[in-house]
Amino acid sequence: MSAAPLRIGYCLSLTGPVAGNTRSAQLAHQIWCEDVNRAGGLLGRPVELVCYDDEGRADRTSSLYAKLIDQDRVDLVLGGYGTNTLLAALPVVSRHGRYFVGLMGLGVNRGLDYPKYFAMIPTGPDPNAALTEGFFALAAEQSPRPRRVALLSADAEFARNPILGAKANAATYGFEVVFEQTYPLSTEDFSPILDAIAATDAELLFVCSYLKDSADFIRSLRRHVWRPKMVGASMIGPQNTEVKTALGPLLNGVVNYEYWAPSPSLMFDGAAEVLTIYQSRAADAGVDLLGHYTALLAYAQMQVVAQAVGETGSLDDETLTAHTRDATFQTVMGDVQFGTGGEWSRPRVLQVQFQDIEGEGVEQFRNGSRQAVVWPPELASGALRYPYV
């Protein structure tokens, strides 16, 4: 390939509180770039990725996207990782009318309705509710049926949409919200909050947390005398291999969302091959050793962009947008179609339960045997163990 590189520009939070997830996504992007260039590139041009570290800061994100578009003049812009930075990027991207496929942002386009935005996250047309519906659906099936739920969330932008979804699901499934509180991200000891929740006789504990505070919360709960009958639902952290191995058996019994798990029903075409390459390079790259949470979605994000460009033969933002609205994309996350607001037309969010973890070794997490998919029923690989003990 002798043509000028086709440059794809974007930001990732390679430092900051979610760096463990975003650096995993970056390795998956690099693997995709190598794969596509071996196959001849896009439009006969080698692909080059231009990635800046936004440090997880909204102000830095918006200025970097302006630089990518106005100064670097990249051929395509790509969405970074997560709700906070995607929200910061969208106003800049929309002013320039650019085609924009974002990674794992929850409900980012609600209220903005930017027509050229597409979400690489399997939460579907009602993302707030879909993220944790399984937690409430499972609780409603138990006997005796629990009735009361406590909602605990970090005081941060990323937690706002999951809490809205939790309230909607609680109403749908007939649970009474008896406690609601936010906490600073710097919280390490959750004992006073757990004391307050225990006093309400809540049976379900819905938690929306980030990486470090997820681990600190689990440790606090295991030290506490009170036990909910189910706990988890919306914790960012237990998906990460480093968090899994740090907590080990402390995770047993926790029920939480996932977007993918290494179970037979979720081994879509190409997924095993991508993970094999990723895992062979993860240790040297200093990233999540397994890549189950972010890597496949990040690779699939690039597959959507590549297929849109290849099938239209164009880099025009309007052309790519029109095609993406109507096409079915074959990815390592299965077939993907986009619907209202650029979300997936159908949700595919899992709830998993950690079971039988022994020690802190990483190998036990490789094949999914310690992380049973308990919802939805058609994708289940194990049964819910209830109550949490």
Side-chain angles (χ1 to χ4, degrees):
M1 292 179 289
S2 59
L6 190 159
R7 302 169 76 220
I8 301 176
Y10 63 114
C11 295
L12 284 174
S13 304
L14 301 174
T15 54
V18 293
N21 290 340
T22 53
R23 292 176 65 235
S24 176
Q26 184 184 39
L27 177 56
H29 288 159
Q30 290 168 349
I31 293 168
W32 169 84
C33 190
E34 294 163 10
D35 289 345
V36 79
N37 282 337
R38 272 195 299 271
L42 292 178
L43 305 183
R45 298 165 60 183
V47 174
E48 177 184 313
L49 301 179
V50 181
C51 181
Y52 293 128
D53 179 11
D54 59 37
E55 302 173 5
R57 292 168 39 200
D59 59 336
R60 181 169 168 80
T61 300
S62 56
S63 64
L64 285 173
Y65 271 95
K67 180 180 186 302
L68 285 164
I69 296 169
D70 295 327
Q71 297 178 35
D72 298 333
R73 297 192 178 278
V74 295
D75 297 285
L76 296 168
V77 286
L78 186 74
Y81 168 89
T83 304
N84 295 1
T85 53
L86 285 169
L87 276 171
L90 262 180
V92 178
V93 172
S94 63
R95 281 199 302 271
H96 290 80
R98 302 303 294 266
Y99 174 70
F100 198 58
V101 180
L103 178 63
M104 296 172 77
L106 187 69
V108 168
N109 207 22
R110 282 202 162 189
L112 298 174
D113 297 320
Y114 179 54
K116 298 184 179 73
Y117 173 79
F118 299 93
M120 186 48 62
I121 184 173
T123 44
D126 188 3
N128 293 351
L131 183 72
T132 56
E133 181 183 3
F135 183 86
F136 291 91
L138 285 165
E141 295 171 356
Q142 304 312 306
S143 181
R145 191 185 195 279
R147 298 291 178 184
R148 297 174 298 278
V149 59
L151 308 180
L152 178 63
S153 62
D155 186 10
E157 183 66 37
F158 78 88
R160 303 190 200 289
N161 286 338
I163 287 295
L164 290 174
K167 291 177 178 178
N169 283 323
T172 297
Y173 287 93
F175 294 106
E176 179 188 2
V177 177
V178 295
F179 179 93
E180 182 178 355
Q181 184 173 323
T182 62
Y183 63 87
L185 277 171
S186 58
T187 302
E188 295 182 352
D189 181 10
F190 288 82
S191 299
I193 298 174
L194 290 169
D195 289 341
I197 297 173
T200 69
D201 289 327
E203 298 155 288
L204 309 177
L205 177 49
F206 178 100
V207 184
C208 186
S209 52
Y210 241 7
L211 276 79
K212 183 181 182 300
D213 46 305
S214 291
D216 289 335
F217 168 78
I218 291 295
R219 292 187 180 102
S220 293
L221 178 61
R222 290 299 292 261
R223 289 193 300 264
H224 204 274
V225 296
W226 174 71
R227 291 288 180 268
K229 293 184 177 178
M230 280 178 64
V231 59
S234 185
M235 304 174 72
I236 300 173
Q239 305 86 352
N240 182 282
T241 305
E242 186 176 356
V243 174
K244 286 184 174 79
T245 55
L247 291 173
L250 298 182
L251 276 171
N252 282 331
V254 171
V255 178
N256 202 45
Y257 85 93
E258 273 280 10
Y259 296 137
W260 186 85
S263 65
S265 60
L266 294 160
M267 281 294 181
F268 304 109
D269 288 348
E273 291 81 359
V274 169
L275 285 177
T276 296
I277 297 169
Y278 172 95
Q279 290 169 6
S280 72
R281 295 167 56 172
D284 287 342
V287 301
D288 184 288
L289 293 176
L290 299 180
H292 291 167
Y293 183 52
T294 321
L296 289 180
L297 271 167
Y299 193 96
Q301 177 191 25
M302 307 307 291
Q303 287 181 303
V304 167
V305 173
Q307 288 176 42
V309 170
E311 290 169 9
T312 61
S314 176
L315 296 174
D316 176 72
D317 296 289
E318 294 285 353
T319 301
L320 294 172
T321 297
H323 180 81
T324 303
R325 283 201 198 105
D326 297 331
T328 298
F329 294 89
Q330 291 76 46
T331 80
V332 293
M333 287 293 293
D335 286 354
V336 174
Q337 294 176 312
F338 296 98
T340 303
E343 303 288 348
W344 285 24
S345 59
R346 292 185 296 175
R348 195 176 64 233
V349 182
L350 315 174
Q351 287 285 319
V352 303
Q353 186 178 46
F354 294 97
Q355 300 176 353
D356 302 322
I357 299 171
E358 298 178 355
E360 298 175 350
V362 69
E363 287 303 313
Q364 64 186 320
F365 298 108
R366 192 176 296 276
N367 64 5
S369 62
R370 300 296 187 266
Q371 187 173 309
V373 177
V374 292
W375 194 89
E378 66 272 17
L379 296 176
S381 63
L384 177 73
R385 297 179 186 176
Y386 179 91
Y388 171 75
V389 293

